Amino acid sequence: MDWSDEFLAYLELKKSLFFRYIPKDAVLEYISGALDLGYKGALEIENNEIRELYTAHAIQIHYIETSAKIGSGMVRAEFEYDHRGRHKVFLYAAAIQELINTTGSTEKQVEDLLLVHEWFHFLESERGFAYEQLPPLEVPGLFGRKRKVMIRQLSEIAAHAFVRGYQQLPVLPLFYDVQELVKNGQLSEEEMVEEYKQFQEYK
């Protein structure tokens, strides 16, 4: 199976409630647009050490021992915006340990990966969200009318591309999410093969 950026991003995009409304010929366009935003953003700051950036912008890092979940996955980190500029990032210890076990990376490597991801969301809070830079999607509204919505998953795809570009990773970090789902029995290899077959239909 080819763990390409596009396939991993497709798995993320499918989490959107609006995925079923995306025209088939627009799926890869949305994916490419989000990936490009992330990679281009990483080129702007690739020579900076992430913790130095946090210090320079007075972003506090807080470690949380308890775990948090969104859907079937554990929350590893969260960026909290503050209009007074007192931004915070929360790192969840249990999820970090699980990622360490999955990747075989050191604690610092995993923490840095998460800090880079949340740095992208900090940049979004300063410059505008990535999903706002891509075309809105028309979906059914009330009384047969159409309404336009933004696909928020595009920001997550861009963030993962940002991390891969910044840290020169061999794959999008989304790959580690898939590994954890398979490892925890939440996703079978057969289901993943089927997902890949469906993805091939968009090419």
Side-chain angles (χ1 to χ4, degrees), residues 128-145:
F129 294 100
Y131 61 77
E132 294 176 332
Q133 300 179 51
L134 295 166
L137 177 68
E138 279 197 348
V139 300
L142 294 175
F143 310 113
R145 296 178 179 175

Side-chain angles (χ1 to χ4, degrees), residues 5-7 9-11 13 26-36 134 154 157 199:
D5 285 359
E6 289 75 17
F7 175 51
Y10 163 78
L11 295 177
L13 186 59
V27 168
L28 291 181
E29 291 180 11
Y30 275 116
I31 288 173
S32 296
L35 291 171
D36 286 346
L134 295 166
L154 295 172
I157 292 170
F199 167 69

Side-chain angles (χ1 to χ4, degrees), residues 32-167:
S32 296
L35 291 171
D36 286 346
L37 288 173
Y39 281 125
K40 287 176 182 175
L43 289 175
E44 297 177 10
I45 59 167
E46 63 179 348
N47 294 323
N48 293 315
E49 207 283 329
I50 190 61
R51 293 174 192 258
E52 292 177 3
L53 290 173
Y54 271 66
T55 300
H57 289 79
I59 301 175
Q60 300 175 28
I61 301 172
H62 296 268
Y63 292 87
I64 308 296
E65 293 302 321
T66 56
S67 59
K69 276 196 167 189
I70 294 181
S72 60
M74 295 180 73
V75 177
R76 300 188 186 113
E78 288 181 293
F79 170 72
E80 182 177 277
Y81 174 82
D82 183 273
H83 70 277
R84 297 163 296 180
R86 300 171 187 170
H87 309 308
K88 299 175 184 177
V89 165
F90 298 95
L91 298 178
Y92 291 87
I96 288 174
Q97 186 57 53
E98 186 169 357
L99 190 55
I100 290 170
N101 296 339
T102 298
T103 62
S105 302
T106 67
E107 184 174 358
K108 182 180 184 303
Q109 287 172 329
V110 168
E111 285 185 6
D112 283 356
L113 182 152
L114 298 176
L115 290 174
V116 172
H117 185 109
E118 299 310 318
W119 178 259
F120 180 82
H121 292 315
F122 162 68
L123 292 179
E124 285 189 304
S125 75
E126 297 280 302
R127 305 175 183 177
F129 294 100
Y131 61 77
E132 294 176 332
Q133 300 179 51
L134 295 166
L137 177 68
E138 279 197 348
V139 300
L142 294 175
F143 310 113
R145 296 178 179 175
K146 296 282 189 179
R147 64 188 179 99
K148 291 185 177 182
V149 298
M150 297 293 185
I151 307 172
R152 294 177 181 268
Q153 256 67 32
L154 295 172
S155 278
E156 281 304 301
I157 292 170
H160 283 284
F162 181 85
V163 175
R164 184 184 180 193
Y166 185 101
Q167 295 200 303

